[in-house]
Amino acid sequence: MTELIPALSAIADRYDVVLCDLWGCLHNGKTAFAEAVAALRAFRDRGGRVVLLTNAPRPNSAVIAQLDRLGVPRDGWDMVASSGDAAQEAILAGLVGRKVYHLGPEKDAILFTEIPPSHADAPPVERVPLAEAEGIVCTGPFDDLTETPEDYRATLLFAKAKGLPMICANPDIVVDLGDKRIYCAGAIARLFEDMGGEVHYFGKPYPPIYDLTRRRLAATGGALAGDRVLAIGDGITTDIAGGIAEGFDTLFVTGGLAAAEFGPDPDRPDPERLRRWLDDRLSSPTYAIGRLR
């Protein structure tokens, strides 16, 4: 049975590490959530380590720059790991070839241009037109404010006919940008899969991002010891499913993507509505909270 808790502090002493999602938990793409920032700071003050684990399809340097712009203080976290980081390792390893079609906005081009020192000697990967590509790297719609996955049906059919594999650098289906819900790379990748296309996912809930996080923590003297790790997020099929698959306890933030399902007050989810909703999805997070605080 999922336990509703009033604040992270109620359970903080049970954990050494939290893996905290960003969109919907710490910010909405436009505004940082002050209570969430305070909760993570307090966890660190107790001696805990905070890893911001995000499905952003860009390297962590770009994520950190966004956090700075949003006013998320650097003393609220220890490390940032992104699906972009995990996808970049696969891209540079040539998983879908060395001539790739980038399906995504130019803001994500940093995935191809900012090469980490650990891969400085990797053979180059070139962005090319779709007709010349050996594979696809999908980071999202070109215009996420107006486009839907259906806008890419013809492109995906052409790619499927050519037998091109795809790397999906963000498994999220949607996120909320302020008050607007927008599609992510995961929605395009799902349509491609439905057509019979081959997709490799990098990000929650898939193993590569957790493997990356383990390696980075180990390099700084940390560890992801299963019973002392808490995964926090508002995505039941990404943050929560991934945490459960890795053997971590999980804290489901109900006031994010699914807020409308749990009653009129996002801060106070209705327990019975929450129980039924989780049962319908065969999911059982360890804890739930209206908003991270």
Side-chain angles (χ1 to χ4, degrees):
M1 176 73 74
T2 299
E3 178 186 350
L4 271 169
I5 63 170
L8 178 60
S9 59
I11 58 170
D13 60 356
R14 305 175 193 177
Y15 302 102
D16 298 323
V17 178
V18 297
L19 306 177
C20 187
D21 183 39
L22 295 184
W23 290 69
C25 295
L26 192 57
H27 68 74
N28 64 2
K30 293 188 174 182
T31 305
F33 302 151
E35 287 187 311
V37 169
L40 296 182
R41 275 175 152 172
F43 184 80
R44 294 188 75 238
D45 287 345
R46 291 169 175 256
R49 302 188 74 173
V50 173
V51 178
L52 301 182
L53 196 64
T54 173
N55 276 356
R58 293 171 291 283
N60 66 68
S61 60
V63 176
I64 291 169
Q66 182 187 36
L67 293 173
D68 288 343
R69 290 193 299 271
L70 292 172
V72 176
R74 295 200 177 194
D75 65 357
W77 50 270
D78 295 278
M79 181 183 301
V80 176
S82 71
S83 58
D85 293 333
Q88 190 178 52
E89 288 190 345
I91 293 166
L92 294 173
L95 179 63
V96 296
R98 300 211 170 270
K99 292 185 176 182
V100 301
Y101 175 65
H102 176 206
L103 198 170
E106 192 60 26
K107 68 181 180 181
D108 298 336
I110 189 174
L111 195 62
F112 303 92
T113 60
E114 186 175 290
I115 308 302
S118 58
H119 290 76
D121 295 331
V125 173
E126 181 183 1
R127 288 191 294 167
V128 299
L130 182 60
E132 302 172 19
E134 301 168 345
I136 299 172
V137 175
C138 181
T139 63
F142 291 114
D143 184 352
D144 55 18
L145 294 178
T146 62
E147 292 180 330
T148 74
E150 282 298 322
D151 292 314
Y152 294 90
R153 180 172 289 275
T155 297
L156 298 177
L157 284 171
F158 180 78
K160 170 62 170 57
K162 286 193 65 180
L164 301 183
M166 174 187 287
I167 285 175
C168 175
N170 176 1
D172 286 351
I173 304 299
V174 294
V175 295
D176 289 333
L177 176 60
D179 295 328
K180 184 176 178 60
R181 185 153 293 186
I182 59 176
Y183 285 103
C184 300
I188 297 173
R190 177 182 288 181
L191 178 58
F192 190 48
E193 270 193 317
D194 289 345
M195 294 175 174
E198 175 188 341
V199 180
H200 303 273
Y201 289 95
F202 293 85
K204 299 170 289 184
Y206 300 95
I209 194 170
Y210 298 100
D211 175 66
L212 174 75
T213 303
R214 282 189 176 88
R215 286 185 276 121
R216 287 186 174 174
L217 273 175
T220 60
L224 286 184
D227 61 348
R228 298 291 296 178
V229 178
L230 180 68
I232 303 173
D234 68 326
I236 203 71
T237 61
T238 50
D239 309 305
I240 303 306
I244 291 173
E246 294 291 325
F248 306 146
D249 284 356
T250 54
L251 173 57
F252 177 44
V253 179
T254 65
L257 285 170
E261 303 289 341
F262 310 121
D265 186 351
D267 288 319
R268 295 174 178 80
D270 179 87
E272 183 57 24
R273 288 189 182 189
L274 175 61
R275 183 193 65 78
R276 290 198 303 266
W277 190 85
L278 291 173
D279 285 349
D280 287 345
R281 285 152 184 80
L282 303 178
S283 183
S284 184
T286 317
Y287 313 102
I289 191 171
R291 298 189 192 276
L292 183 58
R293 61 174 79 86

